[in-house]
Amino acid sequence: MPSVLVLGFDPHAVPGMDGDAMRAVLDKELARFGEHAIDASMALIAPDESAESMVVAALSERDWDVVVIGGGIRKPEPLLVFFEQVVNLVRRHAPGAAIAFNTSGGDSVEAATRWL
């Protein structure tokens, strides 16, 4: 069974976001992976000094086939340096994994299956 790790921000740690509503979207998306016979896990990180160690820990859990980096990490221009850091952590700690990008919390399955 292929394995996918989705990296994203913890919606409860993002100011101004409806954390409960976004978490429901993410949980629904995680369930969709199972419907596609994909073993998936999500690492939801806080945008703070703990982020790097949390990303490294998630990447090191197993050999991932694909790592999906969520739009919350990738899209906001002020987070460009953080996004670069995450990409390089994936490259370093999960070198065999393809890297994919979703457009929202609801299309991570499609992003991952492009590379499986």
Side-chain angles (χ1 to χ4, degrees), residues 1-2 6 22-23 25 29 31-32 40 45 50 67 69 76 84 87-88 90 93 105 111 115-116:
M1 179 180 293
V6 179
M22 180 52 86
R23 184 60 201 239
V25 169
E29 186 66 2
R32 280 191 345 112
I45 57 178
S50 70
V67 176
I69 301 173
E84 289 175 339
V87 169
N88 282 294
V90 173
H93 296 280
W115 297 100
L116 290 174

Side-chain angles (χ1 to χ4, degrees), residues 14-90:
V14 178
M17 181 176 285
D18 182 345
D20 292 338
M22 180 52 86
R23 184 60 201 239
V25 169
L26 296 174
D27 288 343
K28 184 177 178 182
E29 186 66 2
L30 192 58
R32 280 191 345 112
F33 278 103
E35 296 167 9
H36 289 82
I38 298 169
D39 184 15
S41 181
M42 271 187 197
L44 300 177
I45 57 178
D48 61 23
E49 64 280 344
S50 70
E52 181 175 352
S53 63
M54 291 179 70
V55 170
V56 170
L59 292 169
S60 301
E61 282 180 14
R62 63 185 293 182
D63 290 332
W64 300 102
D65 293 309
V66 178
V67 176
V68 177
I69 301 173
I73 292 173
R74 179 178 86 257
K75 292 180 182 180
E77 189 174 327
L79 294 177
L80 177 63
V81 173
F82 181 75
F83 170 58
E84 289 175 339
Q85 179 184 16
V86 170
V87 169
N88 282 294
L89 288 171
V90 173

